[in-house]
Amino acid sequence: MRRLPQTPVRMVSGLLALVLASAVALLASAQPAAAHGTLAMSTPAADATVSEPMTSVQLFFTEKAAANAYFTVTAPGGSRVDNGWTYGEPKPLDKPVREYFLVDGKFEPREYTTGFPAVVALAHLPATGQYSVSYLSISSDGDTVRGTMTFRYSGRATAAPRGWSPPTNQPDPTLLAATEQHKTSGQSSAVPTTPAEATTAPAAAPPVASTDEDGPGAMAWTGWAVAAVAALAAFIGWRRRPAPVGRSSGRARTSTSASKRRSPDNRPAPGKTGTTKGVSADRGAGAPAGGGKRRPNAVPAGRKGDAVVNARTAVAVEATPTDREVHASAGPSGESRPILGSDLDAGAEVQGSRLSNTHLAMLVGGLVLALLAGFGLARIGTDTESPAGTARQPAAGALSAGQGESAGDGHQHAPGIGPHTHPGDGGGQIIVSGTTVSSAGYTLQPLERSQPASARTDYRFRIVGTDRQPATRFAVVHDKPLHMIVVGRDLSGYQHLHPTMAPDGTWSVPLTLTRPGGYRIYTDFSVTAANDTQVPLVLGVDHTVPGAHTPTALPAAQTQAVAGPYAVSMNGTPTVGATAPMQFQINRVDTSAPAKLERYLGAYGHLVVVREGDLGYVHVHPEQELVDGAVKFWLTAPSAGRYRAFFDFQVDGKVHNAEYTINLP
């Protein structure tokens, strides 16, 4: 008997499935972001240094900002120096900006060459250092336009106008309602523009042609079409390859021989006669019912003489290699019996086995080349620098075109080049996390739900995936694979801990809770999924210490706190829906000298903000370097209400914590 070829059919199917799945993933990722009202440029430019006094900052958008748009300018000390804003005269952009519009299910690019400025007046420039500009608006199609940029001032200080005081206003409730409407319903913004604005359309160019080397245009979509058609054609060609005469076609043969039939215990079954004819699901009958042993992946045959082999069933059998037993009908009585691995005929052949190694390599190679060609054509010109690419990104929420995505995992941080957020499920939302025990297919599974007061207890838990198995692959973020935050329901008793994981995926950490009452335990981590992508999550669960509970009243709002021998000042104006800079200055209490901060968990500080009531969690990380001697964060408050902020920092190897109450009307 001939041996089976060295290239089995399942290898062909597996490789084809892999290539076609890659095609789907690449095609799905090719869609451009559809956001409008982009910040195209500014005066001064982002990250520029200004040496002469100035009276305003101009932000140029691809369309006019909403009439109730919100702008702030924050000085190095944390106080606001903006003094209202007005529309300015449009002017040509330094570089055109491309935005995409979804028309009849397809993204159509448009180029904007004119910038529409919002002129933000400056009351004064009180000090040298970094100034932060924040904006919040709604585009004409309802997209939220939110972001920040910074510049440095090195000139002389200027005085504030007589009788002027720093503004403390929050965004217009109508503006906030419009952002909420857009992110929940997908409808256009309800925020109107003035009649004069409404008649001024953005300066849009026609869709980019295939000859435009700066953009995707028709060539991009043609490239993707070529890749998709090539992959589909190759797959169809392989599937329709004719079966050789006299051989079975399909994934399995179900023919049997009476002389070869065996009982379930693998002994010959005497007295049984009859055969089952194999019929392909694609090409009808074509396999003789000869003798010989059977393949282990034989699938159930139908009625005598009318057996049907389903290709998908055969693939499913292959997917469980440890299950070496399937059943087939045999004989007129229709009895079924198991077909064991020992029943195999080494000489049995299937049509897929005739695909040679050379043909396999050519087929898979052709698919890969077609996909790469399409991917390359689609990417031509799409990696050009964005005019607004130097602008700093907001700490959360939907951004202007090409600037990022919303914070769906409760993180807001700024590694290196400015604030950014993890992609999430917000779709423009400013959301908090930690209010649920499950998210994105992962569940926090505590092994203990309570513990005695003042007792040191090992708190244990697992992060369980959709397969009900504990996750064991976690990315190291800020020097640790997982951060555990504990806060009482009255926002007292804050702890920042770092559990360790056992090989079976069980995390544990010593935990002592001195006061009876309810607590919220947050696990802040990035799990590595099966496709090797990182999924950042914050999951929360309740924990109880039995006993008589006396809630601690939330302290009054303040900007000063004492942490050990250090006085910590919190400067900035937290804002609902808009990104605001928050700066923490640490000085020694006894000498008022600045503290010599050390990096703690990879940064100069960490800020956890928890909302009163639902205990919504926001974990904010700072700029990687000190800004004018302070630890600077970008915070976007998700709603009005009261919050407790916990700021961790390290000096001389010891970690300290400063706590603040924040009231947002």
Side-chain angles (χ1 to χ4, degrees):
M1 294 292 183
R2 293 174 54 195
R3 293 281 182 183
L4 284 171
Q6 294 298 313
T7 305
V9 176
R10 62 171 176 256
M11 179 182 293
V12 178
S13 299
L15 288 173
L16 284 172
L18 177 61
V19 172
L20 292 174
S22 300
V24 172
L26 287 174
L27 288 170
S29 66
Q31 293 181 344
H36 314 110
T38 306
L39 175 64
M41 67 180 188
S42 63
T43 303
D47 296 326
T49 298
V50 179
S51 58
E52 296 295 330
M54 57 184 183
T55 59
S56 66
V57 172
Q58 298 185 70
L59 304 177
F60 292 86
F61 299 92
T62 55
E63 64 181 33
K64 284 191 172 183
N68 57 353
Y70 181 79
F71 299 93
T72 65
V73 181
T74 305
S79 61
R80 285 176 55 178
V81 295
D82 53 282
N83 194 22
W85 72 277
T86 59
Y87 291 109
E89 290 297 324
K91 64 177 293 185
L93 296 174
D94 294 339
K95 185 176 181 180
V97 173
R98 179 176 295 112
E99 296 178 354
Y100 294 87
F101 291 79
L102 188 62
V103 179
D104 297 330
K106 297 180 180 180
F107 285 103
E108 294 186 359
R110 297 181 187 177
E111 280 196 351
Y112 292 83
T113 58
T114 301
F116 298 86
V119 182
V120 185
L122 299 178
H124 68 133
L125 299 170
T128 60
Q130 188 183 81
Y131 286 72
S132 304
V133 183
S134 300
Y135 56 90
L136 175 65
S137 183
I138 290 289
S139 67
S140 59
D141 69 343
D143 282 342
T144 301
V145 180
R146 178 189 291 110
T148 63
M149 57 84 66
T150 62
F151 66 91
R152 298 196 69 85
Y153 178 63
S154 61
R156 62 179 178 84
T158 60
R162 184 184 298 272
W164 179 86
S165 60
T168 58
N169 64 305
Q170 295 284 317
D172 183 353
T174 307
L175 176 63
L176 295 176
T179 62
E180 291 292 329
Q181 177 188 9
H182 174 66
K183 70 193 179 189
T184 56
S185 67
Q187 299 174 0
S188 297
S189 168
V191 179
T193 55
T194 63
E197 301 157 25
T199 59
T200 307
V208 182
S210 60
T211 57
D212 182 0
E213 63 182 6
D214 290 330
M219 181 178 291
W221 313 126
T222 301
W224 286 116
V226 168
V229 171
L232 182 61
F235 179 74
I236 293 176
W238 172 73
R239 290 282 298 152
R240 295 183 62 85
R241 180 172 177 171
V245 177
R247 298 180 186 269
S248 66
S249 60
R251 290 279 299 166
R253 295 174 57 189
T254 58
S255 61
T256 64
S257 171
S259 62
K260 296 293 183 179
R261 297 183 64 256
R262 295 178 182 269
S263 62
D265 60 359
N266 207 27
R267 293 176 300 174
K272 300 292 182 180
T273 60
T275 60
T276 302
K277 297 180 181 180
V279 182
S280 167
D282 293 332
R283 288 175 281 278
K293 299 178 182 179
R294 297 165 183 81
R295 294 175 55 84
N297 63 338
V299 298
R303 298 180 303 276
K304 176 185 176 183
D306 192 25
V308 177
V309 179
N310 187 295
R312 287 182 295 180
T313 305
V315 171
V317 173
E318 287 287 354
T320 56
T322 57
D323 184 4
R324 305 300 296 168
E325 182 174 300
V326 294
H327 290 80
S329 175
S333 64
E335 286 184 52
S336 64
R337 66 164 190 86
I339 299 176
L340 303 176
S342 60
D343 290 334
L344 298 179
D345 180 2
E349 295 184 11
V350 295
Q351 178 263 342
S353 300
R354 292 185 58 82
L355 188 62
S356 69
N357 288 335
T358 301
H359 290 162
L360 173 64
M362 293 176 63
L363 174 60
V364 176
L367 286 172
V368 172
L369 288 176
L371 291 171
L372 291 177
F375 183 76
L377 287 173
R379 288 296 182 184
I380 290 178
T382 61
D383 294 328
T384 56
E385 181 182 357
S386 170
T390 56
R392 297 194 175 275
Q393 309 308 320
L399 314 182
S400 302
Q403 290 185 349
E405 297 183 37
S406 62
D409 62 340
H411 287 77
Q412 302 176 4
H413 62 113
I417 60 172
H420 80 282
T421 60
H422 296 288
D425 58 0
Q429 299 179 15
I430 300 300
I431 65 174
V432 292
S433 57
T435 58
T436 61
V437 72
S438 297
S439 180
Y442 294 91
T443 299
L444 170 58
Q445 186 182 82
L447 302 186
E448 293 86 19
R449 300 300 299 268
S450 66
Q451 66 183 75
S454 300
R456 182 182 174 91
T457 304
D458 280 341
Y459 182 77
R460 299 177 301 155
F461 62 92
R462 301 187 184 98
I463 305 299
V464 180
T466 53
D467 57 358
R468 299 185 179 180
Q469 298 300 312
T472 57
R473 300 173 64 200
F474 293 82
V476 174
V477 179
H478 296 286
D479 294 349
K480 299 292 182 180
L482 186 144
H483 302 259
M484 189 175 102
I485 306 297
V486 182
V487 179
R489 296 203 67 89
D490 57 5
L491 301 183
S492 66
Y494 169 85
Q495 296 184 53
H496 185 165
L497 306 174
H498 299 106
T500 57
M501 186 185 72
D504 66 352
T506 300
W507 295 85
S508 63
V509 64
L511 176 62
T512 302
L513 300 172
T514 59
R515 299 174 61 247
Y519 293 82
R520 190 71 176 174
I521 294 180
Y522 305 95
T523 54
D524 188 337
F525 59 90
S526 287
V527 65
T528 303
N531 60 356
D532 291 329
T533 60
Q534 293 184 16
V535 182
L537 293 171
V538 177
L539 303 179
V541 68
D542 287 335
H543 192 69
T544 303
V545 175
H549 171 59
T550 302
T552 299
L554 194 64
Q558 76 286 325
T559 60
Q560 304 292 324
V562 175
Y566 302 100
V568 187
S569 300
M570 180 181 68
N571 301 309
T573 306
T575 306
V576 177
T579 305
M582 303 295 296
Q583 300 182 38
F584 291 82
Q585 185 73 51
I586 302 98
N587 297 316
R588 291 193 62 87
V589 173
D590 53 358
T591 64
S592 298
K596 295 182 179 179
L597 295 178
E598 301 168 347
R599 292 188 183 273
Y600 168 56
L601 300 175
Y604 281 112
H606 297 269
L607 181 64
V608 170
V609 180
V610 180
R611 181 168 57 192
E612 184 182 36
D614 66 350
L615 303 184
Y617 171 101
V618 179
H619 192 174
V620 193
H621 297 284
E623 296 279 0
Q624 285 297 297
E625 302 298 332
L626 297 176
V627 178
D628 300 321
V631 186
K632 183 174 183 177
F633 298 84
W634 297 87
L635 173 66
T636 311
S639 69
R642 293 203 299 176
Y643 296 79
R644 193 68 172 164
F646 306 94
F647 171 59
D648 293 331
F649 63 95
Q650 179 173 298
V651 181
D652 295 332
K654 184 177 180 179
V655 178
H656 302 271
N657 175 254
E659 301 184 7
Y660 306 85
T661 298
I662 299 174
N663 288 339
L664 293 177

